Amino acid sequence: PNNKNNLKSERLNQLYQELYELVIFGFANASIVMAGIFLETLLKELLFTKKEYDYKTKLDFGGALSKCKKYLTKKDYTDLKNIKDFIRNPYHHHNITQFTGGVKTKGVKLNLKTGEISEYRTIDSDELRFLEVIGKIKFDSQTFISLFRFCHNISKKLSKKYF
């Protein structure tokens, strides 16, 4: 996908451009957060064009998704719901463990004076929080490109059909 995605909505074009630039520069975390904002706005724009939303009424991603269900294919609705539940909400509310699932690694206890290893065991991110950060970086890198592609494809599809 490129940045030439005319979505027939200045609001969406501007957000798409920001999302595109974040992806191009490799800002994985920021692009995932922006993707959530972009998808929520996409749904609100759809409702706006159908005269079912006025931008004065408070409406969150879940509410917009519920109202848009009748305009979406079953697959698109399911994909958007999964993105909301398993990516967007944990990122926006910074619930890292929800998407990393906790991180575990094998660890050893090392006596620095003698160089002796006295214990092998599993260490999880509850003990060493930086493991969670490493897990999140890995999750980010595996998620942000495919999420951008999804945003690109669904926005083109909905724009062509409804805007």
Side-chain angles (χ1 to χ4, degrees), residues 53-116:
Y53 181 66
D54 61 8
Y55 278 102
K56 296 174 186 166
T57 308
K58 184 176 179 175
L59 184 66
D60 64 11
F61 191 114
L65 182 57
S66 293
K67 286 181 170 223
C68 283
K69 187 174 184 175
K70 60 189 167 199
Y71 303 115
L72 301 169
T73 65
K74 185 175 182 179
K75 182 182 182 333
D76 288 343
Y77 176 82
T78 300
D79 289 346
L80 284 162
K81 183 163 180 3
N82 286 336
I83 288 168
K84 176 185 77 72
D85 292 343
F86 301 112
I87 299 172
R88 187 259 183 208
N89 286 354
Y91 267 82
H92 282 249
H93 304 294
H94 205 68
N95 297 328
I96 294 174
T97 305
Q98 189 172 342
F99 51 83
T100 63
V103 179
K104 297 182 183 341
T105 189
K106 298 220 184 275
V108 296
K109 187 173 184 180
L110 174 66
N111 184 321
L112 294 176
K113 290 181 184 175
T114 66
E116 253 182 66

Side-chain angles (χ1 to χ4, degrees), residues 3-138:
N3 67 337
K4 305 296 183 220
N5 198 14
N6 183 1
L7 301 173
K8 300 174 190 148
S9 160
E10 285 308 309
R11 184 184 302 259
L12 287 174
N13 285 333
Q14 183 263 332
L15 290 175
Y16 181 90
Q17 184 63 34
E18 285 186 34
L19 174 57
Y20 175 82
E21 290 173 13
L22 289 169
V23 169
I24 290 301
F25 287 109
F27 295 115
N29 180 72
S31 64
I32 291 168
V33 172
M34 178 56 82
I37 293 166
F38 177 79
L39 290 171
E40 181 175 332
T41 304
L42 176 65
L43 296 174
K44 288 178 178 179
E45 280 290 290
L46 171 55
L47 293 170
F48 182 78
T49 63
K50 294 295 189 180
K51 310 266 190 268
E52 295 181 36
Y53 181 66
D54 61 8
Y55 278 102
K56 296 174 186 166
T57 308
K58 184 176 179 175
L59 184 66
D60 64 11
F61 191 114
L65 182 57
S66 293
K67 286 181 170 223
C68 283
K69 187 174 184 175
K70 60 189 167 199
Y71 303 115
L72 301 169
T73 65
K74 185 175 182 179
K75 182 182 182 333
D76 288 343
Y77 176 82
T78 300
D79 289 346
L80 284 162
K81 183 163 180 3
N82 286 336
I83 288 168
K84 176 185 77 72
D85 292 343
F86 301 112
I87 299 172
R88 187 259 183 208
N89 286 354
Y91 267 82
H92 282 249
H93 304 294
H94 205 68
N95 297 328
I96 294 174
T97 305
Q98 189 172 342
F99 51 83
T100 63
V103 179
K104 297 182 183 341
T105 189
K106 298 220 184 275
V108 296
K109 187 173 184 180
L110 174 66
N111 184 321
L112 294 176
K113 290 181 184 175
T114 66
E116 253 182 66
I117 296 173
S118 60
E119 182 181 353
Y120 290 94
R121 65 186 180 89
T122 300
I123 302 170
D124 67 24
S125 53
D126 289 337
E127 275 183 84
L128 295 172
R129 291 209 48 212
F130 76 87
L131 292 176
E132 208 168 66
V133 173
I134 293 167
K136 183 183 174 305
I137 291 168
K138 182 178 179 184

